[in-house]
């Protein structure tokens, strides 16, 4: 039995004008690569942001390794050290060098000494072929380079899980491949990942499980083969016929 990283119970997130997440329940296990897909406005990103409490659920529970993170008394900073987040627009600190962007959180949270953090940053930068950019600033990098830096910045904290919110949607098409190849490497190494994306072909290739959302609900969840290629749900079939 693999360890459950996230257990989502009857999750609801309401905004004044809409219910973005509507009674969603699911689990994500250690080592699992889960892609969340569906039309724009279906609640995918809001669901993802509820997993690390960037959005506070209206009702329901999110359990992280058995602990209810929606409980008011939980120290969220401690929890977030274990959950890496990669954003659509990179969210790098523009006034810090690339190496400093990577080392800031591990040092601030006392997970690593400054020396250890620098060594880890250098190793990660060498891995993605950007060691020569360690003293550059984000404005000097391409979009694909920035997103790969954002991913290794999250990895520097040794997280239990990585959350990706449409990591390639802000990139020029020719830069998408370099980000997807790094994500594929991480998946093959057993990193637990939850990915909100419109890259359906990539989801079909890499995902262990695909969740299709529409109108804030999980319509279907299963293997890429069953969801993307062979779903008997007409809404799901119609969506993939238009995007594939």
């Amino acid at each position: 039995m693999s360890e459950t990283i996230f257990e989502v119970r009857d999750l609801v997130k309401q905004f004044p004008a809409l219910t973005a997440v509507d009674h969603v329940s699911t689990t994500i296990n250690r080592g699992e690569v889960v892609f969340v897909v569906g039309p724009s406005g279906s609640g995918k990103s809001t669901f993802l942001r509820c997993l690390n409490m960037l959005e506070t659920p209206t009702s329901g529970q999110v359990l992280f390794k058995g602990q209810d993170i929606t409980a008011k008394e939980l120290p969220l900073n401690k929890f977030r050290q274990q959950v890496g987040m990669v954003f659509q627009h990179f969210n790098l600190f523009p006034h810090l060098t690339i190496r400093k962007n990577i080392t800031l959180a591990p040092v601030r949270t006392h997970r690593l000494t400054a020396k250890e953090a620098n060594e880890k940053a250098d190793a990660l930068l060498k891995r993605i072929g950007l060691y020569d950019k360690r003293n550059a600033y984000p404005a000097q990098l391409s979009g694909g380079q920035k997103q790969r830096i954002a991913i290794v910045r999250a990895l520097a904290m040794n997280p239990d899980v990585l959350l990706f919110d449409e990591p390639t949607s802000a990139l020029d098409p020719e830069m998408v491949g370099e980000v997807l190849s790094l994500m594929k490497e991480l998946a093959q190494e057993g990193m637990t990942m939850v990915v909100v994306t419109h890259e359906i072909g990539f989801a079909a290739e890499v995902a262990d499980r695909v969740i299709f959302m529409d109108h804030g609900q999980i319509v279907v969840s299963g293997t890429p083969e069953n969801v993307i290629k062979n779903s008997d749900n007409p809404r799901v079939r119609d969506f993939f016929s238009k995007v594939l």
Side-chain angles (χ1 to χ4, degrees):
M1 285 279 293
S2 57
E3 179 191 1
T4 298
I5 296 290
F6 280 112
E7 182 181 356
V8 182
R9 298 176 178 171
D10 209 25
L11 184 70
V12 175
K13 176 59 182 180
Q14 293 175 320
F15 295 103
L18 84 157
T19 300
V21 179
D22 189 3
H23 298 282
V24 163
S25 297
T26 191
T27 57
I28 289 141
N29 295 323
R30 184 174 293 283
E32 194 175 22
V33 179
V34 179
F35 277 67
V36 186
V37 302
S40 295
S42 59
K44 307 182 298 293
S45 289
T46 304
F47 164 70
L48 189 80
R49 290 169 69 86
C50 285
L51 291 183
N52 67 353
M53 296 294 286
L54 285 177
E55 294 286 356
T56 304
T58 306
S59 63
Q61 291 176 296
V62 178
L63 278 69
F64 177 75
K65 298 198 289 188
Q67 186 170 28
D68 183 2
I69 62 169
T70 54
K72 296 286 185 282
E73 66 278 2
L74 187 82
L76 280 180
N77 286 343
K78 199 84 175 157
F79 149 71
R80 286 194 182 123
Q81 291 173 26
Q82 304 167 74
V83 180
M85 182 82 177
V86 179
F87 297 90
Q88 183 176 352
H89 294 288
F90 329 126
N91 289 25
L92 298 175
F93 296 110
H95 62 292
L96 299 180
T97 65
I98 297 310
R99 185 201 251 171
K100 194 73 177 169
N101 262 282
I102 296 168
T103 60
L104 182 67
V107 172
R108 278 262 177 98
T109 58
H110 306 293
R111 283 172 90 88
L112 297 174
T113 65
K115 182 174 182 293
E116 290 167 339
N118 281 327
E119 288 170 356
K120 176 136 195 173
D122 288 350
L124 287 166
L125 287 167
K126 285 173 184 171
R127 171 182 173 165
I128 62 169
L130 291 176
Y131 178 70
D132 61 325
K133 304 289 188 185
R134 64 195 180 280
N135 295 318
Y137 289 85
Q140 298 169 282
L141 272 55
S142 71
Q145 290 171 332
K146 287 178 194 171
Q147 194 59 292
R148 284 185 290 153
I149 295 298
I151 293 170
V152 299
R153 177 179 63 176
L155 288 174
M157 291 289 287
N158 285 328
D160 283 300
V161 58
L162 279 180
L163 308 179
F164 294 83
D165 190 7
E166 302 201 18
T168 60
S169 63
L171 300 179
D172 292 331
E174 67 267 23
M175 295 174 185
V176 169
E178 59 197 47
V179 174
L180 295 185
S181 66
L182 176 57
M183 292 173 66
K184 187 174 179 180
E185 271 181 43
L186 295 174
Q188 290 168 340
E189 290 166 10
M191 171 61 71
T192 311
M193 296 162 60
V194 186
V195 185
V196 168
T197 187
H198 291 290
E199 300 280 348
I200 305 301
F202 184 61
E205 182 186 354
V206 174
D208 297 311
R209 181 157 53 99
V210 174
I211 292 172
F212 181 89
M213 289 186 70
D214 197 17
H215 297 295
Q217 298 181 323
I218 292 178
V219 178
V220 64
S221 173
T223 64
E225 185 76 18
N226 289 338
V227 175
I228 297 173
K229 296 177 182 170
N230 298 315
S231 177
D232 54 9
N233 182 293
R235 174 69 187 101
V236 177
R237 269 207 319 270
D238 179 61
F239 174 82
F240 288 119
S241 73
K242 289 172 179 167
V243 299
L244 286 173

